[in-house]
Amino acid sequence: MFSLLNWLVRVSLITALTLTMAACGGGGGESSSGSPADAQSGAENSESVIWVEGSAVKGAISHGLITIYRSVGGNTWLQVGESVRTDNQGRFRAGVPADLNNQALKVVLSSDSATQMRCDVRPACRTPGGGSVIFGESFWPGNDLSMTAVVSPSADSFAKAVLTPIGSLAHQLALKNGFSGWEDYQAALRALEHEFGLSDGVLERAQIDLSQPDALRADSEMILSSLVNAGFLALAGDDRWGSLARVISNFEVVIARNGFLPSLSGEQLSPSAELVLLAASEQASNHRELISEADSEARNLDRALVSIDAALLNI
């Protein structure tokens, strides 16, 4: 569970490091590509269909409902086709009419009674009912989980949708700043990648499931991105929220009110980039404690920790 004491300890360490510097002058994991047969819709051989493919990994969200909408101006959207479900690895494939190429499409994951989410938080995840499941086990995330991405498929290809908590915040940020198309979502996604110290475009790559055995052998950028997204689930351990859905919702409310995600939390530990990064740092440390010094996974995690601390210092 997320530890407030550990947050405060890390804040103290980071503050001390900042003062010292001033005085001195100062992919692994399961693949989310492919076209799962049990998570698709549309006519496989129809030339009038283009495909929207993707994944929802926080860890893997299985049997989640994927619904696609087309924009009819501003924040008005109409559903396209029928909803499909993600497979056991969180992947999906849905067909949309070919005449929607080069148009903004909103891809929404929603949960219901059939949905399961794999715990990628060490040592355990809080469940919406107040219980807990250990790292690597699946649990029901509640009926109110929702994550959003915006894509723009081309006529001769397919669109790739990566559904993450940060992607949902980017959608809210784009709406607040006068969403007019896919480009606005992209700009919001780049802004949040920068805010969290992530490299440009990393949130458009299929995220790794940190609960999988070889996850920490992925490249360091993907490990860092997945740790930051896992930070949102770790925050569900806070009694103020209690579920990933309520964490995302509260962050979206803050963005809708301010027009941006605050960098710092303040004394109330309110939603901010700092809060997520501190949770991600604790997760990286929890993973690191279980790995031997000589392992390549240890080096990957060490790099992730350095990047997270650098992002905190730059806030």
Side-chain angles (χ1 to χ4, degrees):
M1 293 296 179
F2 188 74
S3 166
L4 178 58
L5 177 61
N6 286 349
W7 287 6
L8 298 177
V9 169
R10 182 160 290 278
V11 170
S12 299
L13 291 174
I14 291 167
T15 302
L17 179 59
T18 304
L19 293 174
T20 302
M21 292 172 66
C24 295
E30 296 280 351
S31 171
S32 293
S33 61
S35 305
D38 59 344
Q40 64 182 24
S41 70
E44 186 73 37
N45 298 317
S46 173
E47 295 181 358
S48 63
V49 169
I50 50 179
W51 298 104
V52 177
E53 300 181 352
S55 58
V57 176
K58 180 64 255 55
I61 300 175
S62 60
H63 308 296
L65 285 168
I66 299 293
T67 308
I68 299 177
Y69 302 85
R70 64 180 179 88
S71 174
V72 292
N75 191 30
T76 303
W77 303 82
L78 293 178
Q79 183 173 340
V80 178
E82 297 181 357
S83 298
V84 300
R85 287 194 182 271
T86 57
D87 68 8
N88 289 336
Q89 304 305 321
R91 300 171 299 184
F92 64 89
R93 187 180 198 230
V96 299
D99 59 5
L100 294 180
N101 65 294
N102 296 318
Q103 294 187 34
L105 299 176
K106 183 169 70 171
V107 183
V108 179
L109 168 102
S110 57
S111 62
D112 63 9
S113 59
T115 306
Q116 293 282 294
M117 179 167 63
R118 193 174 294 139
C119 175
D120 64 350
V121 167
R122 286 191 182 277
C125 291
R126 178 169 176 165
T127 66
S132 65
V133 298
I134 64 172
F135 178 80
E137 290 193 352
S138 293
F139 65 101
W140 178 61
N143 282 331
D144 54 349
L145 178 62
S146 177
M147 295 195 296
T148 301
V150 178
V151 300
S152 180
S154 61
D156 59 350
S157 185
F158 61 88
K160 182 172 66 173
V162 180
L163 291 151
T164 65
I166 300 178
S168 292
L169 302 192
H171 174 247
Q172 182 61 57
L173 181 59
L175 290 177
K176 180 63 177 180
N177 293 330
F179 179 88
S180 61
W182 173 76
E183 294 81 4
D184 294 324
Y185 175 77
Q186 288 286 298
L189 203 57
R190 298 292 87 78
L192 289 176
E193 285 172 338
H194 182 265
E195 188 73 31
F196 288 111
L198 304 175
S199 58
D200 285 353
V202 71
L203 290 173
E204 294 181 284
R205 297 169 60 187
Q207 302 296 290
I208 60 175
D209 184 343
L210 291 170
S211 70
Q212 296 304 293
D214 59 347
L216 297 179
R217 298 190 185 280
D219 67 72
S220 57
E221 289 184 352
M222 290 308 305
I223 292 173
L224 176 60
S225 175
S226 296
L227 282 168
V228 172
N229 275 301
F232 287 88
L233 182 54
L235 290 174
D238 190 315
D239 288 337
R240 293 176 294 173
W241 299 314
S243 72
L244 177 60
R246 288 192 284 276
V247 171
I248 294 173
S249 176
N250 275 270
F251 272 72
E252 289 176 337
V253 166
V254 168
I255 290 175
R257 181 172 64 239
N258 298 325
F260 60 90
L261 177 65
S263 297
L264 298 172
S265 288
E267 293 182 358
Q268 300 302 315
L269 294 178
S270 56
S272 70
E274 178 190 35
L275 197 65
V276 176
L277 286 167
L278 288 169
S281 181
E282 184 179 44
Q283 283 303 300
S285 297
N286 290 347
H287 283 282
R288 183 65 179 82
E289 291 173 359
L290 301 175
I291 299 173
S292 67
E293 218 35 72
D295 200 305
S296 63
E297 295 179 355
R299 293 190 292 272
N300 290 341
L301 281 169
D302 287 342
R303 284 192 289 268
L305 276 165
V306 168
S307 296
I308 293 170
D309 285 349
L312 284 163
L313 287 169
N314 287 331
I315 288 177

